[in-house]
Amino acid sequence: MNSRTHQGTALVTGASSGIGAVYADRLARAGYDLILVARRAEKLRELARTITTRSGRSVETIAADLTDADDLARVEGVLRSDASITLLVNNAGVGATGPLLQSNVADMEQMIELNVNVLTRLAYAAAPAFVARGTGTIINIASIVALAPELLNGVYGGSKAYVLAFSQSLQHELADKGVRVQVVLPGATETDFWNVAGLPVSHLPPEIVMPVDALVDAALAGLAQGEIVTIPALAELDDWTTLENARKALSPQLSRSAPAPRYLDAGSMADD
Ligand code: NAP
């Protein structure tokens, strides 16, 4: 992404740090005006000042806790009504590293609220507006735990598996209406995420941790290459394609009028 022509406005959630802040920087350099959303107003203002000075682009900030119904409604309203918005980066999210037996269920519910409900509602606000205008892009930030739920906390993995499935379905539904959807699956990335999730990133083997600039640049390269699913660390794209083809080949076999023979031949609990 190196165009200097005006690309419209990108709304980036979770822009006050980490992956979202780097998206903001890169998108401004590529010619987008910005609307930056997160809770920490001062961090957003600071970033907005830096980006405007560097790129000359217009940068608005919205201080919002997206898990608060009124704040979320405010951001949804902007997505619906601001016709200059051409890109939504659905990035705000939190993680957890502890297993179920050591996790507080209320914290898990808050994580589902942000990672799943908020992301869904913002996509539902943006998609009809983009369809009406015949153009627009939605980038959803998932995680490699969507494919490897055993790695961290299971609710986090489940929330990101939702983001992957939802994005693939959105792309399927919106592609012929001029709207693009990309879902990005970062592996471990050097951001505050790990401190918030309770495991400092310095405790991870350095060979599995990607610098945040490299992660976002790779994700944007994937977007430019037309990818729907971008896994920045995966060296062999064929490995992903093989998995996807196997998943799609299963599809016609998953719904039939009778159970598979192996369930008919075996005894059931009712026979005991
Ligand atoms: P980060 O630096 O902690 O960024 C998280 C962002 O989300 C911050 O800007 C935070 O801003 C915002 N946020 C958190 N709660 C919010 C709320 N209730 N309302 C509005 N904004 C909120 O971590 P990051 O690594 O950049 O994470 C960004 C995304 O990448 C997340 O979806 C995460 O799951 C995903 N991801 C990260 C990694 C990794 O290893 N870092 C790997 C895979 C996927 P405020 O605190 O100012 O609200």
Side-chain angles (χ1 to χ4, degrees), residues 72-247:
L72 177 60
R74 213 151 40 91
V75 178
E76 289 175 307
V78 171
L79 282 168
R80 288 196 193 98
S81 62
D82 184 340
S84 76
I85 297 175
T86 53
L87 172 62
L88 165 64
V89 185
N90 237 335
N91 164 73
V94 285
T97 53
L100 179 143
L101 293 180
Q102 270 116 58
S103 303
N104 176 327
V105 72
D107 293 344
M108 298 297 103
E109 196 177 1
Q110 273 296 101
M111 180 162 61
I112 294 169
E113 181 61 29
L114 183 63
N115 294 5
V116 175
N117 292 354
V118 164
L119 177 136
T120 305
R121 289 198 62 129
L122 295 180
Y124 263 80
F130 290 170
V131 169
R133 279 177 244 141
T135 186
T137 301
I138 298 173
I139 299 173
N140 290 329
I141 306 299
S143 163
I144 56 141
V145 296
L147 302 175
E150 299 86 355
L151 278 182
L152 296 175
N153 171 277
V155 177
Y156 180 58
S159 75
K160 293 301 187 177
Y162 171 85
V163 175
L164 173 59
F166 176 58
S167 303
Q168 289 177 304
S169 154
L170 265 187
Q171 165 65 24
H172 177 71
E173 189 175 327
L174 300 179
D176 66 352
K177 298 177 175 62
V179 179
R180 278 202 61 192
V181 179
Q182 182 201 26
V183 56
V184 180
L185 277 61
T189 309
E190 207 168 0
T191 69
D192 291 348
F193 170 90
W194 292 94
N195 282 332
V196 177
L199 175 70
V201 74
S202 56
H203 291 208
L204 299 177
E207 64 275 14
I208 69 158
V209 181
M210 194 178 289
V212 65
D213 295 82
L215 181 276
V216 174
D217 289 337
L220 287 170
L223 182 72
Q225 288 166 25
E227 287 186 354
I228 298 164
V229 179
T230 295
I231 309 174
L234 184 68
E236 296 300 333
L237 185 58
D238 281 355
D239 291 346
W240 166 251
T241 309
T242 303
L243 180 66
E244 267 299 89
N245 289 343
R247 181 180 72 79

